[in-house]
Amino acid sequence: MHNLRIVVVNPVAFDGDNDPAFAAQAARSNDLRIGLLQAGYNIIASLPADLYLPDRIAQLQPDMIIIDAESDARDVLEHVVIATRDARRAIVLFTEDDKKSSMEAAMAAGVSAYIVAGLQTARIKPVLEVAMARFNQEQKLLNELSDTKLKLADRKIIDRAKGLLMERQQLSEQDAYKKLRRLAMDKNLKLSEVAQRIIEANDLLG
């Protein structure tokens, strides 16, 4: 678990010299970084939540993204969601925002763990382990759902191709299926790929 490649994302800072909010955020960020390093984690980058974030995350390919936002994290979360839209990753949000609406919005956006006032070093390791386990379980369910949808789509294509063979060549359903299998074996293609070609040929010929 400690071999996780982690990217920490912080809000964009505008005035680091005179802004008390910036000073508080900087202190939090430092505590988080120290806690991660003491727990043995590998921080590969600390990035601002700006327009370049999706490209940076795509280049770095982290295993986990940690958002460190003391208060309203919606803008930061929006950048992270965009950055992980095409390749999902475990997301952990450390914040001081304990509003239920904020937590629900974050979880709906794909956050694996929403941690309020949880920057104590001793908490970081179990929090990240639970977040990664939850993310892996969700990813497994999503993959299973995707496989099921794909199988259903393939079945519809095969059934349609069978229907065309039955209609055009006066075959029984069993014989039409056997013909599809034989064509797939002869051409070294999936059954659904042969079925799709039959459908496309039929559409071309009208």
Side-chain angles (χ1 to χ4, degrees):
M1 183 67 71
H2 285 195
N3 292 326
L4 287 177
R5 302 175 73 254
I6 294 174
V7 162
V8 178
V9 178
N10 308 110
V12 176
F14 295 102
D15 186 358
D17 295 329
N18 304 313
D19 188 350
F22 171 82
Q25 179 64 49
R28 278 175 49 85
S29 298
N30 187 57
D31 288 345
L32 175 61
R33 185 177 183 85
I34 290 172
L36 288 168
L37 293 174
Q38 287 180 347
Y41 288 102
N42 178 21
I43 305 172
I44 58 173
S46 183
L47 305 174
D50 57 21
L51 295 176
Y52 302 104
L53 185 63
D55 291 336
R56 295 297 309 280
I57 288 179
Q59 291 170 356
L60 293 167
Q61 294 292 307
D63 301 307
M64 176 180 285
I65 297 171
I66 293 179
I67 303 173
D68 174 28
E70 182 176 4
S71 55
D72 194 340
R74 282 178 294 184
D75 290 341
V76 184
L77 186 57
E78 183 178 340
H79 283 287
V80 172
V81 169
I82 292 172
T84 58
R85 184 169 46 198
D86 297 326
R88 294 186 76 249
R89 290 179 173 86
I91 302 171
V92 177
L93 173 58
F94 286 96
T95 182
E96 300 296 326
D97 184 356
D98 61 358
K99 294 194 294 290
K100 184 180 178 182
S101 59
S102 299
M103 181 187 69
E104 290 175 344
M107 302 304 280
V111 169
S112 305
Y114 187 96
I115 310 302
V116 177
L119 280 178
Q120 296 90 339
T121 302
R123 290 188 63 194
I124 289 177
K125 182 174 178 288
V127 163
L128 265 57
E129 288 179 346
V130 170
M132 201 66 202
R134 181 183 178 195
F135 172 77
N136 288 335
Q137 181 63 25
E138 289 178 347
Q139 198 63 26
K140 180 182 177 183
L141 292 173
L142 286 172
N143 290 340
E144 289 174 354
L145 180 61
S146 178
D147 288 344
T148 299
K149 288 182 177 179
L150 186 61
K151 287 175 182 176
L152 287 172
D154 286 349
R155 183 173 177 179
K156 287 181 179 180
I157 292 170
I158 292 167
D159 285 345
R160 186 179 171 197
K162 277 195 307 184
L164 290 172
L165 290 175
M166 290 165 66
E167 178 185 345
R168 289 185 173 272
Q169 300 185 18
Q170 302 300 306
L171 299 174
S172 66
E173 182 177 359
Q174 185 176 4
D175 288 340
Y177 183 71
K178 286 180 179 179
K179 183 160 189 174
L180 279 174
R181 287 188 61 186
R182 188 166 62 250
L183 286 169
M185 291 176 65
D186 290 345
K187 296 181 180 297
N188 197 27
L189 295 171
K190 292 181 180 178
L191 202 60
S192 58
E193 291 173 335
V194 170
Q196 184 64 43
R197 291 188 180 189
I198 290 173
I199 292 168
E200 290 171 356
N202 180 74
D203 291 343
L204 283 173
L205 295 174

